């Protein structure tokens, strides 16, 4: 069980219209700890028949929430932010228990997640419009921005807290109401946020959580609903595309944060120690289970041996184990399916000439721990050059020229995060401009922050989360044309 100071944070019902509710058919599903499969809770498993109530509720609540002053909305969000920080240790324990990441990393996610609420509490006050010089002597033009309406947020298990706050904070700040469907692997972090939302004074119906294992059927009902005006999704590319197609009939505004295939490039003139640290941070965070994790590490021939040697020595020291134990740096993978996928990618790489220089394939039993693996001699023929690994495997590719590595780095349908290390100023600009990615880390492996626009291009998605741009996805622009002003 999870040992909490504030036991009220642990909920097992859905949160609709300010009430904690069971499924109409009383079905539940088990949430387990991925480290030891211990049962953590039996959570309400909502069905299609439960959804109309939440949609109506959110629509009703929107009508009042949008009319509150921004000062009122901002102060409620600020309160929610403060409660998240006050309860950070407990929220982190819940997160580690259901997701597996080390407790220190979970605490980092809680603070990162809360930072979006703080940021958008402040941004709420800056939803400015425009006054545009008119196109006729009697014309005056004013642009106003209004909340788009009821928003659905569908979120994944790899950041059970921050993917919710990153969507919900700008939506609420803009004046929208939200329906959140967290991953069935990690609903407890979402429900804990609802406890604090209620305490912060977010009105009934403005913030709702649907817990369900019937994602595709429920997703269809939500995308079919003309009441819902906006879908914000973070998850796999395949599901994102499907939701985009489903949203076409009601022409919903859709934001998608999908898969990535991040290149991590180390040029000859890079600072070696920094590059190694950056690669470890980017590759092994969350056991490699993030969409911005380094997926392909390209190292220039002049620094190749030195990089591989130092990287291997340091990765070997990473402590793997139960995320709740002191000092653990890599927790378990989310489930045995994830272990099988990583094993499959390693098999494929070995059959195509790759060499394991650290670690080995993992047997997912008795748990899903997966000690880090490094593969040298990686090539573009291997599946791991094209698919998101989502595990602690670092394939290393050798390259000679800038042109060659830029071409290789861009040779993917994905375009989320990319990274490179080097010191030549001209090269830094050229490479940064040439990488076809929404985000480029230059001499850093950590790029996520509430103050910058997170998002991808190509098949990694659209829309931006965080920063001053993050609010745009939840607003409609309306222009008022005044005539006869003579
Ligand atoms: P992952 O492989 O990371 O679990 P998914 O895209 O399968 O990524 O899941 C991300 C989120 O999308 C989860 O909340 C999941 O329940 C939800 N989901 C999965 N399939 C569908 C679907 N067909 N319609 C709506 N939501 C879905």
């Amino acid at each position: 069980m999870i040992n909490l100071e504030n036991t009220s944070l642990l909920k097992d019902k859905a949160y609709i219209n300010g009430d904690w509710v069971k499924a109409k058919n009383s079905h539940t599903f088990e949430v387990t700890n991925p480290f030891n499969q211990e049962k953590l809770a039996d959570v309400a498993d909502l069905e299609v028949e439960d959804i109309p109530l939440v949609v109506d509720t959110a629509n009703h609540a929107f009508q009042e929430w949008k009319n509150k002053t921004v000062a009122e909305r901002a102060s409620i969000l600020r309160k929610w932010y403060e409660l998240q920080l006050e309860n950070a240790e407990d929220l982190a324990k819940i997160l580690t228990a259901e997701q597996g990441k080390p407790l220190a990393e979970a605490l980092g996610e809680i603070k990162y997640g809360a930072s979006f609420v703080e940021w958008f509490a402040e941004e709420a006050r800056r939803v400015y419009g425009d006054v545009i010089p008119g196109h006729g002597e009697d014309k005056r033009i004013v642009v106003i921005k209004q909340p788009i309406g009821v928003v659905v947020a569908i979120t994944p298990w790899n950041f059970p807290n921050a993917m919710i706050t990153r969507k919900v904070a700008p939506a609420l700040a803009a004046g929208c109401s939200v329906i959140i469907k967290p991953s069935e692997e990690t609903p407890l972090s979402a429900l804990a946020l609802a406890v604090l939302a209620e305490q912060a004074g977010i009105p009934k119906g403005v913030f709702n959580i649907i817990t369900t294992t019937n994602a595709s059927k429920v997703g269809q009902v939500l995308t079919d609903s003309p009441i819902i005006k906006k879908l914000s999704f973070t998850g796999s590319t395949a599901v994102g595309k499907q939701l985009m197609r489903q949203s076409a009939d009601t022409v919903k505004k859709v934001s998608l944060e999908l898969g990535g295939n991040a290149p991590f490039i180390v040029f000859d003139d890079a600072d070696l120690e920094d590059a190694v640290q950056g690669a470890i941070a980017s590759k092994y965070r969350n056991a490699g289970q993030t969409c911005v994790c380094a997926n392909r590490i390209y190292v220039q021939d002049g620094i190749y041996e030195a990089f591989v040697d130092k990287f291997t020595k340091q990765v070997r020291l990473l402590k793997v184990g139960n995320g709740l134990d002191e000092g653990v740096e890599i927790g378990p993978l989310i489930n045995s399916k994830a272990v099988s996928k990583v094993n499959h990618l390693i098999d494929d790489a070995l059959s195509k000439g790759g060499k394991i220089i650290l670690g080995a394939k993992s047997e997912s039993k008795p748990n899903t721990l997966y000690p880090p693996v490094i593969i040298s001699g990686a090539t573009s023929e291997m599946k791991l050059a094209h698919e998101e690994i989502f595990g602690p495997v670092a394939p290393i590719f050798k390259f000679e020229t800038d042109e060659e590595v830029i071409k290789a780095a861009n040779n993917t349908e994905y375009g989320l995060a990319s990274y490179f290390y080097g010191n030549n100023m001209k090269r830094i600009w050229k490479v940064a401009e040439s990488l076809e990615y929404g985000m480029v880390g230059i001499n850093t492996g950590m790029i996520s922050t509430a103050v910058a626009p997170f998002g991808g291009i190509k098949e990694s998605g659209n829309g931006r989360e965080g920063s001053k741009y993050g609010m745009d996805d939840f607003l409609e622009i309306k222009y008022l044309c005044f005539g006869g002003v003579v």
Side-chain angles (χ1 to χ4, degrees):
M1 276 284 85
I2 316 173
N3 186 12
L4 302 178
E5 290 274 313
N6 178 359
T7 49
S8 74
L9 292 173
L10 212 48
K11 293 286 183 193
D12 57 10
K13 310 262 185 321
Y15 182 68
I16 301 174
N17 202 19
D19 295 323
W20 297 96
V21 299
K22 297 196 301 186
K24 278 193 179 143
N25 63 14
S26 296
H27 287 179
T28 60
F29 63 98
E30 267 190 22
V31 179
T32 55
N33 180 328
F35 175 71
N36 54 16
Q37 278 66 54
E38 183 198 359
K39 182 162 94 172
L40 300 171
D42 287 306
V43 173
D45 195 358
L46 269 50
E47 251 295 357
V48 163
E49 59 184 352
D50 295 296
I51 306 307
L53 168 71
V54 65
V55 174
D56 285 349
T57 283
N59 193 29
H60 190 253
F62 168 61
Q63 310 308 329
E64 289 188 17
W65 182 243
K66 71 177 178 186
N67 288 329
K68 284 206 182 301
T69 65
V70 286
E72 280 175 288
R73 287 203 296 267
S75 110
I76 291 173
L77 282 174
R78 178 89 207 168
K79 180 79 190 144
W80 192 34
Y81 159 73
E82 283 161 4
L83 287 168
Q84 287 172 43
L85 291 192
E86 277 166 32
N87 289 274
E89 302 277 340
D90 280 347
L91 293 173
K93 281 187 199 160
I94 294 172
L95 203 164
T96 294
E98 66 177 346
Q99 201 271 345
K101 70 176 64 175
L103 195 57
E105 219 179 297
L107 194 56
E109 178 179 339
I110 299 302
K111 290 180 182 164
Y112 171 63
S115 74
F116 287 96
V117 183
E118 180 186 38
W119 172 266
F120 285 106
E122 293 161 359
E123 280 298 289
R125 299 173 187 274
R126 280 179 281 279
V127 180
Y128 297 157
D130 283 310
V131 180
I132 298 176
H135 54 297
E137 281 181 12
D138 68 324
K139 296 290 197 301
R140 304 290 185 272
I141 295 177
V142 172
V143 175
I144 61 172
K145 293 184 183 171
Q146 295 180 303
I148 188 163
V150 181
V151 171
V152 165
I154 301 182
T155 56
W157 50 262
N158 61 343
F159 289 92
N161 171 288
M163 293 307 100
I164 293 177
T165 54
R166 196 159 85 170
K167 296 177 188 308
V168 166
L172 295 182
C176 301
S177 58
V178 294
I179 299 170
I180 302 149
K181 199 220 75 68
S183 167
E184 51 275 44
E185 304 276 2
T186 56
L188 302 180
S189 292
L191 296 173
L193 278 172
V195 172
L196 301 178
E198 184 173 36
Q199 218 176 312
I202 297 180
K204 285 175 189 297
V206 170
F207 181 101
N208 305 279
I209 298 193
I210 303 172
T211 49
T212 180
T213 58
N214 304 299
S216 76
K217 279 193 282 170
V218 165
Q220 185 77 53
V221 174
L222 293 169
T223 49
D224 283 350
S225 165
I227 291 174
I228 291 160
K229 296 293 187 298
K230 159 92 191 170
L231 172 75
S232 180
F233 171 78
T234 297
S236 61
T237 304
V239 172
K241 286 180 181 177
Q242 188 183 329
L243 289 170
M244 196 174 190
R245 270 182 228 115
Q246 285 173 208
S247 298
D249 281 344
T250 49
V251 195
K252 280 189 210 332
K253 199 160 162 177
V254 178
S255 298
L256 304 169
E257 299 286 1
L258 308 178
N261 180 8
F264 186 104
I265 305 167
V266 184
F267 289 104
D268 280 346
D269 64 336
D271 180 302
L272 182 61
E273 180 59 30
D274 285 359
V276 166
Q277 288 311 324
I280 291 174
S282 165
K283 175 72 253 181
Y284 294 107
R285 193 156 65 102
N286 203 6
Q289 303 172 108
T290 88
C291 47
V292 294
C293 275
N295 211 54
R296 299 167 286 159
I297 301 182
Y298 292 98
V299 187
Q300 204 159 14
D301 47 3
I303 200 173
Y304 186 86
E305 299 299 335
F307 178 89
V308 171
D309 188 50
K310 213 174 188 33
F311 182 64
T312 309
K313 277 194 185 122
Q314 298 200 18
V315 172
R316 195 188 295 279
L317 302 176
L318 294 175
K319 193 170 163 199
V320 183
N322 183 351
L324 288 172
D325 290 348
E326 190 65 29
V328 165
E329 291 158 299
I330 300 187
L333 295 191
I334 190 71
N335 52 35
S336 55
K337 208 170 122 212
V339 173
S340 307
K341 185 193 162 193
V342 174
N343 282 344
H344 170 72
L345 290 175
I346 293 180
D347 280 340
D348 175 77
L350 297 185
S351 76
K352 292 171 182 163
K355 262 214 210 115
I356 291 194
I357 54 175
L358 181 73
K361 276 198 327 181
S362 178
E363 294 307 327
S364 107
K365 290 197 180 100
N367 54 43
T368 54
L369 287 182
Y370 208 118
V373 173
I374 302 177
I375 297 179
S376 68
T379 68
S380 62
E381 277 72 50
M382 297 172 181
K383 284 189 182 167
L384 45 65
H386 304 283
E387 291 179 25
E388 209 173 21
I389 300 170
F390 244 61
V393 179
I396 309 192
F397 303 69
K398 197 192 270 190
F399 74 93
E400 288 175 12
T401 67
D402 293 23
E403 293 69 34
E404 174 196 348
V405 77
I406 288 167
K407 196 166 164 212
N410 289 339
N411 182 21
T412 169
E413 68 271 24
Y414 293 112
L416 192 59
S418 57
Y419 308 86
F420 68 90
Y421 277 70
N423 279 304
N424 178 307
M425 200 260 285
K426 273 194 216 162
R427 171 192 266 161
I428 286 179
W429 272 103
K430 286 279 181 204
V431 175
E433 287 170 355
S434 304
L435 287 171
E436 295 165 357
Y437 289 84
M439 298 175 285
V440 185
I442 302 160
N443 293 325
T444 178
M446 301 287 276
I447 52 174
S448 299
T449 159
V451 307
F454 187 105
I457 61 172
K458 294 162 80 177
E459 291 184 25
S460 286
N462 56 33
R464 291 295 179 269
E465 294 186 331
S467 83
K468 66 173 181 175
Y469 304 103
M471 197 79 108
D472 294 346
D473 282 358
F474 301 96
L475 294 167
E476 291 285 21
I477 289 176
K478 181 185 281 180
Y479 106 80
L480 316 178
C481 183
F482 297 83
V485 188
V486 282

